[in-house]
Amino acid sequence: MSTSDLLAHDGLADGRPAAVRRLLARPELGSLIAAVAVFLVFAVVAEPFLRVSSLGTVLYAASTIGIMAVPVSLLMIGGEFDLSAGVLVTTAALTSSMVSYQFTSVTWVGVLVSLATTLAIGWFNGWMLGRTKLPSFIVTLGTFLMLTGANLGVTKAISGTVSTKSIADMQGFASCRWLFASEVNIGGLAIKATVWWWLGLLLVGSWVLLRTRFGNWIFAVGGDADAARAVGVPVARTKTVLYLGVGFGAWVLGQHLLFSFDTVQSGEGVGNELIYIVAAVIGGCLITGGYGSVVGSALGALIFGMVSKGIIYAQWNPDWFKFFLGAMLLLAALLNAYVKRRAERGPR
């Protein structure tokens, strides 16, 4: 094939340069356009939205979603769901709090036990998925229900109420709070610890997905698990590791909730798993798996943060927030499917 033929095939067959075609095929393109549009709308209609202090609030709201959106997006690219992700965050916080209060005076012990617990639950989801071959919807729905009941039942049995006791006066609380719930002020911009955790997970997740063999495995098992297994990809192990990633994200966010407010309500977290999935889908992940972007999930979380706070700054009725998210989800799903079809079809 001649050089001219290669150029035509790679970039100019449809009248557009190769760089433009590659850009249009990126899964996070739609979420980037949506993020810019949302920013411009609130910048025009809500003057407080552009203040430096407001930016810190938006970043904080986005980070509490983004910490979970990163591992959830990787899991969705791998072709699976986790409906227990929302309550798993609460389980992480409850475990850390109750272990610290009931069995020791050092909060770090509770933190480490909480990490072991969330990873064990993530492993259980992956193991059940591999052993039973049931859809992840069913497996994690069962986990969701069990955790919801356990969070409430165990908390009431141990503390006598639906919330945990304060651990603010325990040894190690200050250092744990610094790691998970501190705040840095830079030029009037208050940056919470969750923002740093979010950025760290985003960098690691993007590197794993795009620069490692395991990232290739994620795309392979999400695109066609049988074909991936036929060429030697450890499908069950790959999916189990992805569920472990969700467990780790839940642990981080759970510790933030605990060390921000000292106590935890056992009924929190129900429904948040849908927000994590929405952020991933808005960011370019397909429901069918095999396609998506970690960066896109971060943009989806940023859109969530801008909308949730922008509505308040604009003094709009917050009852419409869920309507807006639902509309964004449908539009993103349609756009993602269109982009994927164009990318698969190639130049015409």
Side-chain angles (χ1 to χ4, degrees):
M1 184 180 289
S2 67
T3 303
S4 59
D5 291 335
L6 285 170
L7 289 173
H9 176 76
D10 188 45
L12 300 177
D14 62 350
R16 290 178 295 205
V20 174
R21 290 187 56 251
R22 286 194 295 268
L23 176 63
L24 293 176
R26 293 298 304 171
E28 64 269 14
L29 177 62
S31 59
L32 176 61
I33 295 173
V36 172
V38 169
F39 176 83
L40 292 176
V41 167
F42 286 115
V44 171
V45 303
E47 183 273 333
F49 185 77
L50 295 177
R51 296 174 186 170
V52 175
S53 58
S54 300
L55 176 59
T57 304
V58 169
L59 285 176
Y60 173 63
S63 67
T64 58
I65 302 301
I67 286 173
M68 289 299 292
V70 168
V72 166
S73 66
L74 289 172
L75 182 64
M76 290 183 64
I77 295 170
E80 304 298 343
F81 293 96
D82 191 347
L83 296 180
S84 67
V87 293
L88 185 57
V89 173
T90 306
T91 301
L94 290 170
T95 301
S96 183
S97 177
M98 287 189 286
V99 168
S100 298
Y101 188 87
Q102 300 293 332
F103 302 106
T104 177
S105 60
V106 182
T107 57
W108 280 106
V109 175
V111 168
L112 294 177
V113 171
S114 176
L115 175 60
T117 301
T118 56
L119 292 180
I121 294 171
W123 174 85
F124 173 79
N125 282 334
W127 178 80
M128 281 291 292
L129 189 71
R131 294 288 293 181
T132 66
K133 309 302 180 184
L134 289 171
S136 57
F137 177 88
I138 299 298
V139 172
T140 59
L141 178 59
T143 310
F144 161 80
L145 294 172
M146 288 189 292
L147 290 179
T148 302
N151 287 348
L152 179 60
V154 173
T155 304
K156 291 182 70 175
I158 293 178
S159 66
T161 65
V162 296
S163 63
T164 60
K165 307 294 184 181
S166 174
I167 60 173
D169 59 346
M170 289 188 175
Q171 182 181 349
F173 182 86
S175 56
C176 288
R177 188 165 196 166
W178 174 84
L179 182 60
F180 296 106
S182 59
E183 180 179 299
V184 177
N185 197 292
I186 303 176
L189 175 62
I191 303 179
K192 298 277 191 178
T194 49
V195 176
W196 305 117
W197 278 102
W198 179 32
L199 292 177
L201 289 172
L202 175 61
L203 291 174
V204 172
S206 296
W207 175 75
V208 168
L209 186 65
L210 302 177
R211 294 289 183 267
T212 69
R213 182 173 62 173
F214 185 75
N216 293 332
W217 290 353
I218 295 174
F219 281 114
V221 300
D224 190 331
D226 292 333
R229 188 178 293 106
V231 297
V233 175
V235 174
R237 189 172 70 192
T238 298
K239 293 186 178 184
T240 298
V241 172
L242 293 176
Y243 276 107
L244 289 174
V246 175
F248 181 81
W251 172 72
V252 171
L253 190 55
Q255 304 319 295
H256 167 72
L257 294 177
L258 172 61
F259 292 104
S260 291
F261 305 106
D262 301 342
T263 62
V264 184
Q265 295 290 327
S266 59
E268 293 181 356
V270 177
N272 286 349
E273 64 281 346
L274 298 179
I275 295 178
Y276 307 146
I277 292 173
V278 168
V281 173
I282 290 176
C285 294
L286 291 181
I287 300 295
T288 52
Y291 185 82
S293 164
V294 175
V295 173
S297 74
L299 291 171
L302 184 60
I303 290 172
F304 174 90
M306 288 192 293
V307 172
S308 62
K309 301 306 176 184
I311 286 177
I312 297 174
Y313 295 137
Q315 298 183 350
W316 292 351
N317 187 344
D319 294 341
W320 290 94
F321 174 64
K322 292 288 180 67
F323 175 88
F324 177 85
L325 282 184
M328 286 291 296
L329 174 63
L330 291 176
L331 290 174
L334 292 172
L335 179 60
N336 294 344
Y338 171 76
V339 171
K340 186 172 185 291
R341 285 197 302 269
R342 289 298 300 262
E344 291 175 342
R345 193 161 58 232
R348 288 291 184 268

